[in-house]
Amino acid sequence: MLRPFTTKLAATIRVPLHQAIAFQRQVHSSATRLQSNDETPVSPPASEEAKKTLPQKASHIVRSILHGSEQVRQETKYTLSKVLARGKYVHELATHSVKPGCMEEYKAVVGELYPLIVRNLSPGVKLVGSWETDIGELDTAVHIWEYKGYPALSAAYLTYRSDPEYQRLHRKMLSLLRSRKSQIMLEFQFWPTHPPASKGGLYELRSYMLKSGTLLEWEQNWRIGVECRKHHEVPMGAWFSQLGDLNQVHHLWQYPDLQVRKEVRESAWSENGWPETVLNTVPLIQKMSSRIMLPMPFSSLK
């Protein structure tokens, strides 16, 4: 009887007894098959799995019990690195807290500085949009930049440091700020950033701080959710953070006015799949915020 061995195994690797018993049976079955193969005079070429020794097979079973299937881990890795992100661009979310009473002067300075960057300094850079917060964190400006990958991001930063006109305007802008914050993001594969457009109205940036390890589940649910919302409005963009504050997701929407926003959001509940999206994603959130924004005159999205 091997029950004492099984009990000792369960205590050593800290798994339930029934899993250790299952492990013992698999090892015993493997040993029986190996013995049978030895008695077979002619056999086809062995697969890689069949070439494993009994200790190797036992080690594989133990790893599966403790850490899960290697195939599942590889598929999860592939999903996160290749499927989750669109992979074409890198985006930057820049948030500026402006000194009270200085917003108009600030907009005049960045209205000169940011077109200079796009026009003359960085061919691999586009300004997705620039907005002033109207409801939410007031005296705040939000800018979203688009780079053709990390090389373009690094090249832009080097150019900014060496260009005299950029430095002059940048220093002037800094004198009008209380603080600033930067976050590097990737756009979701299923939700590409909207190209430049003049739609008027207002924009809403909804930001979600997710629980660690739930980003994939969020993406899977919002693949369905955004299709429901497309029947009522045009999604403008969605990103997840890579540098800066992590485990954070941002969704950008556009509405003619607040009343239309209310009607659109209410009508989405009639779509099959939207209630389930909300039900499945609310438990993933640690913190969320919403800001209503008005586009600046030079914004690509306005």
Side-chain angles (χ1 to χ4, degrees):
M1 293 294 290
L2 295 180
R3 176 57 68 90
F5 167 77
T6 307
T7 305
K8 183 177 180 181
L9 174 65
T12 301
I13 64 176
R14 296 182 180 179
V15 299
L17 181 60
H18 72 275
Q19 290 188 358
I21 294 173
F23 159 72
Q24 178 193 14
R25 289 173 177 169
Q26 291 184 52
V27 173
H28 179 71
S29 176
S30 297
T32 302
R33 289 197 301 272
L34 287 174
Q35 185 176 6
S36 299
N37 288 339
D38 290 340
E39 297 171 356
T40 304
V42 179
S43 61
S47 65
E48 291 300 319
E49 180 65 25
K51 290 178 183 178
K52 291 181 179 179
T53 65
L54 186 58
Q56 288 174 329
K57 291 186 176 183
S59 176
H60 172 75
I61 295 170
V62 171
R63 285 200 307 272
S64 297
I65 294 173
L66 292 175
H67 305 295
S69 165
E70 179 67 22
Q71 180 181 358
V72 171
R73 293 201 301 274
Q74 290 299 323
E75 288 177 352
T76 302
K77 178 180 178 181
Y78 177 83
T79 300
L80 289 173
S81 61
K82 301 296 183 182
V83 178
L84 197 64
R86 188 177 176 210
K88 191 174 182 181
Y89 301 107
V90 172
H91 288 81
E92 179 181 14
L93 176 65
T95 307
H96 294 170
S97 178
V98 182
K99 294 178 180 177
C102 296
M103 182 58 76
E104 293 305 315
E105 185 179 359
Y106 167 85
K107 289 193 291 186
V109 173
V110 294
E112 186 178 356
L113 174 60
Y114 285 2
L116 170 69
I117 293 174
V118 176
R119 184 175 62 248
N120 298 335
L121 298 184
S122 303
V125 178
K126 293 181 180 179
L127 181 62
V128 174
S130 291
W131 299 269
E132 173 188 0
T133 301
D134 194 46
I135 300 176
E137 193 175 357
L138 299 178
D139 296 315
T140 302
V142 175
H143 311 278
I144 299 179
W145 295 91
E146 180 178 277
Y147 303 89
K148 292 181 178 179
Y150 284 106
L153 172 65
S154 300
Y157 281 10
L158 288 174
T159 301
Y160 302 159
R161 296 188 184 104
S162 60
D163 185 82
E165 183 63 8
Y166 173 91
Q167 289 295 328
R168 182 186 71 83
L169 292 170
H170 190 252
R171 285 193 298 270
K172 192 173 182 180
M173 181 192 74
L174 291 180
S175 68
L176 303 171
L177 299 182
R178 293 182 295 175
S179 64
R180 57 193 178 119
K181 188 175 183 180
S182 175
Q183 187 179 53
I184 301 302
M185 317 177 295
L186 299 178
E187 58 185 348
F188 283 104
Q189 186 273 338
F190 67 92
W191 193 336
T193 304
H194 199 284
S198 297
K199 292 180 172 292
L202 55 86
Y203 287 76
E204 180 180 15
L205 184 65
R206 298 179 67 86
S207 300
Y208 306 87
M209 183 68 72
L210 304 184
K211 297 175 183 177
S212 297
T214 62
L215 182 59
L216 180 58
E217 188 176 352
W218 179 274
E219 185 265 357
Q220 290 171 341
N221 280 282
W222 265 97
R223 277 182 178 270
I224 300 172
V226 75
E227 292 300 321
C228 301
R229 296 287 291 271
K230 280 181 180 178
H231 298 161
H232 305 273
E233 58 191 314
V234 179
M236 305 305 291
W239 307 267
F240 59 96
S241 60
Q242 289 287 286
L243 296 170
D245 289 338
L246 300 179
N247 300 313
Q248 197 163 23
V249 172
H250 304 279
H251 295 178
L252 182 65
W253 307 91
Q254 186 275 338
Y255 306 97
D257 53 49
L258 290 175
Q259 179 61 30
V260 172
R261 173 188 177 275
K262 174 181 178 295
E263 295 169 356
V264 164
R265 290 176 60 82
E266 289 176 350
S267 61
W269 288 95
S270 64
E271 295 287 340
N272 290 331
W274 177 245
E276 290 78 8
T277 298
V278 176
L279 180 65
N280 293 335
T281 55
V282 165
L284 310 180
I285 301 171
Q286 286 192 19
K287 181 182 178 181
M288 61 184 294
S289 65
S290 168
R291 68 175 77 217
I292 300 298
M293 311 182 300
L294 301 177
M296 296 184 183
F298 58 88
S299 177
S300 298
L301 288 176
K302 54 187 178 183

